[in-house]
Amino acid sequence: MKNKKRDILVTSALPYANGSIHMGHLVEYIQTDIWVRYQKLQGHNCHYVCAADAHGTPIMIKAREENISPEKLVTSIAKKQYKDLKDFGVEFDKFHTTHSEENKLLVEKIYTSLQQKNLIYTKDIDQAFDTKENMFLPDRFIRGTCPKCAAKDQYGDACENCGATYSPDELINPISTLSNSEPIWKKSEHFFFKLSEFENELTQWIEDAKLHKNIKNKLAEWFKMGLKDWDISRDDPYFGFKIPGTKNKYFYVWLDAPIGYLASFLSLCKNRDDLNYNAYFKKDSHHELYHFIGKDIVYFHTLFWPAVLEGAGIRKPTSVFAHGFLTINSKKMSKSRGTFINAKTYLDNLDPNFIRYYYASKLGPSMEDIDLNMDDFIARVNSDLIGKLINIASRCSGFINKNFNGELSRELDDPKLFNTFLQCSQSIADHYEAREYSKAMKQIMQLADKANRYIEEKKPWVMIKKEEQHEEVQLVCTQGLNLFRMLLIYLTPVIPEISDKAKSFFNEENWHWDDTLSPILGTKINKYIPLLTRVEKEKVDNMMTSSNETTSKAPTNSEKNLITIDDFMKVDLRVALINDANEVEGADKLLELTLDLGESNRTVFAGIKAAYEPKDLIGRHVIVAANLAPRKMRFGISEGMVLAAGPGEKDIFLLSVDAGAKPGMKVK
RNA sequence: GGUGAUGUAGCUCAGGCGGUUAGAGCGGCGCACUCAUAACGCGCAGGUCGGUGGUUCAAGUCCACCCAUCACCA
């Protein structure tokens, strides 16, 4: 049963240093932290490193908006992020930053090494350029009308309304969100990493790393499409590391971010005599390396990253563990819907141990999303943690303290029952190791039920009234407290803070997984102070309310993007009569409308099929943007846009005019 | 649009290779207890396993199609 000591290095994805930590981030950090604490509890040499992800255009822009240097912005945000994580019991051995000396050194070293092996080449590409701001624009900073469904104000890479993906040059009326000007298209030399040369190595690595079935599926899909080389450079202005030998080219943030894992560890090694960086990262290292990530960044961690490491002659990760996203009350986390909960908002109202346990009770090794359902959260935490677990201690300790001067008996009442609990040790350990936390929690709670049933059967509160059974009460409660102690050792990775409190209640110093083997007997316990009290619904409600308040205070997009009356008058809005409406063959969302605009007739494709029947539309008056540039669509040319409101799908509502309006009338 | 995944009691979820009356925890209802910051114990009720069709002696479990939800598309 005793394994030899393992050397393990673990990472969580680096939080991007432009915002606060929220409940979604915490799924990952808590999942990782539980695993690391478990390994440490088993006595392994396990190290957990992370860092602030400091580079990239969004951080540069935000710093500019706040009129401070990007360095300063990153430092202050990283400090807050680190504190939030720490307050949730997430215990890093090192939290560094990608904007560090160590990282610069490693990035350049790796790049040079790739270059020497002829794995880097340059190529000119066309990119959107903002002439006012004098910079190239990432897709996210371009908005315009979706070429597929004509939804307005969509990002440069994908439409949130119809889900279409495209390149920014396909957008209708593209606008730079930085200057509100129309971008031009300009050539620029970019640096590429030859990912395509690593197909064989990657295929082998995917097998070796025993990646989860879901990840493998996803990878197979990408392999089928063929690996494309990776663009690793960005143009000035950019916040990042300059590419050696160039004047104005920078490394793309996604190149230096994962290298930040190594840099953070390197920095840790500097302060620790017992750690050797090379032992972990030399090509043939047998030390273990694991990355915990979200499913959105599987691509970077299972293709680019191992390929870059392979190319640079560095060891590859032992494995990569991807988790799903968090939904709140079954809804996507969203600021506008008030389902966006910041870490800080949670902490202002609730105990971090609650959410650590709740996440653990739902987490498994798969990439499925998990839901934070508030009613479920309250029920689960109160029932499991308070009602079952903590209750064992609080119903036993009173007897020991009041009647036996706080002293535990010298033997157990039921060693067999104790052994039953012990027999689950391996299975629970295996669950932790395999990141099957939900199964581990279930098993532990079944034991807690068993402990409560034992006390119920023995009825110490009856025995204490009979002189001849007095001593048996001590035996029974000592038994109960020992069962409780074992369960808390099992739960130490999940609720470390409660575990610490229990430790001092038992007057013990350190707990190791194998301390479950021998019961604690004949010693004194301290006065019992409730280790944890129930979740109150009011606190949860309060948290939800303040989440709503803080998020709705943020200026909305419309407030920021004010336009003048002249801007508004540029849009020629007209009343139109729908003469005809038909379904479009091959289009899922479009209807073809023939409109009477008074002087002329128009054909317009409108994305309203989910909401309206063609026959109900004929004869209706609607409002049309009449001077919209005609747009060639797959099904024909659309000569305008019918105005409608709503989030999409079935919830689209056409604007109509009061009786008397005639086709062709101008709206003003 | 393409690809992948998910859909089992009110809620959260288990259900290797298809096999008798489909499981757990929570919640609900009833009983009991009073040691426990109402916690615990015993019992009961709840499901045509998203839909349709198929393969089979037999399907929640395999196949096809459909619907809904989610994610990814460098």
Side-chain angles (χ1 to χ4, degrees), chain A residues 199-231:
Chain A
E199 189 153 344
N200 291 337
E201 278 92 349
L202 286 173
T203 313
Q204 183 59 47
W205 176 75
I206 287 161
E207 281 311 308
D208 296 343
K210 300 188 175 68
L211 297 180
H212 191 268
K213 187 179 111 251
N214 292 155
I215 300 185
K216 278 193 179 175
N217 277 345
K218 205 74 206 163
L219 284 166
E221 194 185 313
W222 285 324
F223 272 108
K224 217 161 66 190
M225 287 191 273
L227 297 183
K228 283 188 209 158
D229 292 341
W230 183 33
D231 184 352

Side-chain angles (χ1 to χ4, degrees), chain A residues 391-431:
Chain A
N391 190 229
I392 303 169
S394 68
R395 67 196 303 202
C396 289
S397 52
F399 290 108
I400 298 284
N401 279 323
K402 272 182 220 150
N403 305 288
F404 304 97
N405 193 27
E407 248 172 67
L408 296 170
S409 60
R410 298 193 172 273
E411 54 186 326
L412 288 176
D413 171 64
D414 189 347
K416 252 173 102 180
L417 180 64
F418 184 85
N419 279 328
T420 313
F421 274 51
L422 204 51
Q423 273 156 21
C424 293
S425 169
Q426 189 59 47
S427 152
I428 293 168
D430 290 345
H431 286 324

